[in-house]
Amino acid sequence: MSDPTADVLSPLHDEHVALGAALTSFAGWQMPLRYTSDLAEHTAVRTAAGLFDLSHMGELEVTGPQAGSALDAALVGHLSALAEGRARYTMIVDEHGGVLDDLVVYRLAPERFVVVANASNVAVVRDALRERLTGFDAALDDASLRTALVAVQGPRAEEIVASATEPADVDAVRALKYYAAVPATVAGLSALVARTGYTGEDGFELFVDAADAPALWRALLAAGAPHGLVPAGLSARDSLRLEAGMPLYGNELDSTTTPYDAGLGRVVRLDKTDADGDPLPFVGRDALAGRADSQPARVLVGLQGLGRRAARHGYPVLASAEAGAAHVGTVTSGAPSPTLGHPVAMAYVTPEVSAPGTELAVDVRGRAEPVRVVPLPFYRRPR
Amino acid sequence: MTALPAHLHYTLEHEWLEDGSPATVGITSTAAEALGDIVYLELPAVGEQIAAGAVVGEIESTKSVSELFSPVSGTVVEVNQDAVDDPSLVNSDPFGRGWLLKVDVASTGPLLTAEEYEAHAAG
């Protein structure tokens, strides 16, 4: 049992308390679970906008003349090919190809990258990167505790962030492409504004110095209020990312899982080459190369619940609702979908039962509840 | 936090019981708040015999699932169909319109006063 009094407090802790948030212990941090209602916060993000505190995420800066090639050797992606001002979703794996964490890497300058890691994995990623950077002319700096991260997510996000941005920077912020980032002055504060998120909506993530976070938070709340923005907690974040079919480390991803198992083989760049066109080795490459063309033993699928009871993390997936049906998989995440009005779940199942339309069942606390395999994501925002 | 009605009895598992014939059973505001938005109720059928301390239903929220323990032994004579149809009633009015069961009571399990329950819930 973790001791909640030992949790790290977000630089926005006082704001959360003032807003009456229910706080929860998450990955060694005390973070807001919800402010009012999970459903209201979820719906606000789908229809207007939500403001999230993500200060528990880790920010690891990798700098130096060989920062890009060091990351090529350390991660599965081809980061030296990333354009300045762009971001990429990637992973760090162990030598067996098992996922240590999923990451977003930003290239802020030719010799400066920021690796954003999940709160629960910051130490693992930092230690692995430090080791893998040995021999490269590159330095690692853990900026996690001095960096705050705030996200504005939802269809009104662009208007809200633009209205809080210094006029000289507004055009650059509005013109940001998905998975791109630009420095901008927001609410009078220096921020890195990225068009990224974890909700399936348009949105922005703003990195600022921890000391500036409360002023930024209050300014965004004020700028967003006329647009329907509400503060949103980790509970809404989880239901939003589930509807959007996005993996959560510890649920869909862990060190026993390869990117291929999770249907994310596209992030593995076995073809990445150096300046001379020679193949670039990276940690886990040999193991992953052996898996690339073979059918994985299990496949990550979406399940639509046909009843009202939701499957949850760890529940067994059954071949049918009949008594004695074979165990064909395990649920990784599940919840009632507020947007769709029925339960949804992600699960690892055997390949034979992974085709969309396949009727299966989930053992929901002793009762077989019917489900149907459906394509991921469950929810795609209207464009 | 909603004030705890003093005339009700409470359980360690966060149910409340209102004396009467039949007696009424629900869950406390503390439980409803901890669960978050309640989206589904699984309740016993009318006529079912239930036993004090036994699991007689499930309360599912967006975030988690909780079991409903019966504070009493007896026969279920009514379930709150309004709450089954709109489980958010349990969040908005846990001691009122969000009641769950009416039970013809044969015997009761261990019950707490409001004061005792408050101390337990705070602990």
Side-chain angles (χ1 to χ4, degrees):
Chain A
M1 194 80 182
S2 65
D3 175 8
T5 58
D7 284 343
V8 179
L9 298 184
S10 159
L12 293 165
H13 183 74
D14 290 347
E15 305 301 316
H16 303 321
V17 171
L19 289 164
L23 297 165
T24 186
S25 185
F26 180 77
W29 289 70
Q30 209 173 120
M31 298 300 291
L33 182 64
R34 72 177 68 86
Y35 300 85
T36 56
S37 139
D38 301 337
L39 289 172
E41 292 164 22
H42 181 110
T43 304
V45 174
R46 290 275 179 256
T47 58
L51 182 64
F52 295 85
D53 177 12
L54 308 177
S55 296
H56 57 304
M57 303 286 283
E59 291 85 12
L60 303 165
E61 295 188 358
V62 180
T63 52
Q66 292 188 304
S69 35
L71 289 173
D72 284 342
L75 309 179
V76 301
H78 195 181
L79 287 310
S80 64
L82 187 61
E84 197 179 327
R86 298 308 298 263
R88 186 158 294 165
Y89 178 73
T90 185
M91 295 185 187
I92 183 167
V93 302
D94 62 22
E95 60 274 26
H96 308 294
V99 179
L100 296 176
D101 201 11
D102 60 337
L103 310 164
V104 175
V105 177
Y106 296 85
R107 187 174 211 167
L108 304 183
E111 300 187 1
R112 181 158 180 252
F113 295 79
V114 175
V115 177
V116 178
N118 285 299
S120 52
N121 293 331
V122 176
V124 167
V125 175
R126 181 183 58 219
D127 294 350
L129 276 183
R130 186 161 283 147
E131 193 184 315
R132 295 176 192 188
L133 261 48
T134 307
F136 289 92
D137 188 356
L140 176 72
D141 179 26
D142 185 350
S144 302
L145 290 179
R146 62 171 194 269
T147 306
L149 178 57
V150 167
V152 183
Q153 299 282 302
R156 309 297 290 275
E158 183 182 314
E159 292 163 81
I160 293 164
V161 173
S163 72
T165 298
E166 192 74 19
D169 293 336
V170 167
D171 288 350
V173 165
R174 281 193 183 273
L176 269 181
K177 291 185 165 66
Y178 191 50
Y179 267 70
V182 67
T185 302
V186 181
L189 308 164
S190 297
L192 176 71
V193 180
R195 200 156 205 158
T196 47
Y198 191 53
T199 60
E201 296 300 328
D202 184 20
F204 297 82
E205 295 182 314
L206 293 88
F207 297 83
V208 293
D209 285 344
D212 291 340
L216 177 71
W217 177 267
R218 289 194 290 261
L220 289 170
L221 268 186
H227 299 278
L229 173 125
V230 300
L234 290 181
S235 184
R237 181 169 162 85
D238 191 48
S239 52
L240 289 158
R241 71 92 197 164
L242 172 59
E243 285 183 347
M246 294 174 169
L248 172 64
Y249 198 86
N251 288 38
E252 285 73 37
L253 299 172
D254 59 32
S255 62
T256 71
T257 309
T258 71
Y260 298 110
D261 299 327
L264 294 165
R266 61 184 161 79
V267 308
V268 180
R269 296 294 303 275
L270 297 170
D271 59 345
K272 59 184 168 182
T273 53
D274 63 18
D276 301 325
D278 294 323
L280 271 175
F282 60 90
V283 177
R285 187 187 192 286
D286 294 344
L288 290 174
R291 305 284 292 260
D293 298 320
S294 59
Q295 171 80 18
R298 53 197 188 135
V299 181
L300 187 68
V301 296
L303 300 176
Q304 174 182 345
L306 304 177
R308 286 179 65 183
R309 290 160 37 121
R312 305 278 177 172
H313 176 74
Y315 289 6
V317 180
L318 309 172
S320 76
E322 279 148 44
H327 181 186
V328 294
T330 305
V331 173
T332 52
S333 297
S337 161
T339 307
L340 303 173
H342 56 69
V344 296
M346 289 196 272
Y348 280 110
V349 299
T350 55
E352 308 80 64
V353 299
S354 64
T358 307
E359 306 266 346
L360 301 172
V362 173
D363 180 346
V364 178
R365 299 179 296 282
R367 215 161 77 191
E369 292 283 331
V371 297
R372 181 184 297 129
V373 178
V374 294
L376 289 169
F378 303 104
Y379 166 86
R380 208 184 286 274
R381 74 182 158 101
R383 308 239 173 196
Chain B
M1 177 159 303
T2 321
L4 287 175
H7 70 285
L8 301 179
H9 306 284
Y10 297 89
T11 70
L12 290 170
E13 290 84 22
H14 308 284
E15 289 84 20
W16 57 262
L17 175 77
E18 182 173 33
D19 288 328
S21 11
T24 309
V25 173
I27 65 165
T28 67
S29 52
T30 307
E33 279 167 29
L35 277 166
D37 293 303
I38 296 168
V39 295
Y40 178 62
L41 297 174
E42 173 90 12
L43 298 176
V46 169
E48 200 167 307
Q49 302 288 320
I50 58 176
V55 173
V56 296
E58 285 180 0
I59 303 163
E60 180 145 22
S61 72
T62 50
K63 203 63 202 154
S64 61
V65 184
S66 178
E67 291 174 321
L68 176 68
F69 293 86
S70 178
V72 294
S73 298
T75 309
V76 177
V77 296
E78 192 180 346
V79 300
N80 184 354
Q81 194 57 42
D82 289 346
V84 171
D85 294 341
D86 178 11
S88 72
L89 284 177
V90 182
N91 288 112
S92 59
D93 194 6
F95 296 114
R97 295 172 64 215
W99 64 274
L100 299 177
L101 306 175
K102 290 194 189 292
V103 184
D104 201 353
V105 177
S107 65
T108 58
L111 296 171
L112 308 175
T113 65
E115 215 168 43
E116 289 165 342
Y117 174 72
E118 197 160 19
H120 162 66

